[in-house]
Amino acid sequence: MARWPRLATARRALGYALGAGFTGGAATSVYLYKTDPSFERSVRFWWLSGPIVGHYLLERMRASDDDDREVRYKRLHAIHAPDARKVIEELRGMFVKVAQVMSVRPEVVPEEYRVEFRKLQDEAPPVQWDPIREVLERDLGAPVSQVFEKIEEAPLGAASIGQAHHVLWQGRQAV
């Protein structure tokens, strides 16, 4: 009979240890998410792409043989290629550059993905004005209204790592 109280104590101690470990891990993750942009970006990447990866894994397990798996993957390519492009557009920067390279490499990704990724060659979505203004003011060391006589908030064009705005500077038109 003395064995049961010790087992209950051991289970309780294990529960406390697991709870403390989980709590510590969660606290560390929240701290990193708030303070480390690369960690936050990684979390966003997996949050957005995880369902796509999970769907492929599920269909891989369901496939009865290689031919069935290829048929299932072909269907998933059509479904998830636009989703993957949207994820890349949201994450911007390096992700867009990598997708642009993959869009011309048939040995890397299926055709459905290459078609979607080609859209990133000349259809990169613009960034909203407020983050652009903040970066400009930080880099210039002054409000944009003091540096430029006029600046168009709507971009002339956007690319994977930047965008162009029309400005009036020292009486001259500039981009």
Side-chain angles (χ1 to χ4, degrees), residues 28 30-40:
T28 301
V30 168
Y31 173 77
L32 287 172
Y33 187 83
K34 298 287 186 184
T35 60
D36 184 359
S38 63
F39 184 80
E40 184 263 343

Side-chain angles (χ1 to χ4, degrees), residues 126-142:
V127 175
Q128 294 180 356
W129 170 247
D130 288 334
I132 298 294
R133 181 185 45 75
E134 290 172 11
V135 169
L136 279 173
E137 289 177 349
R138 185 184 68 230
D139 290 352
L140 296 171

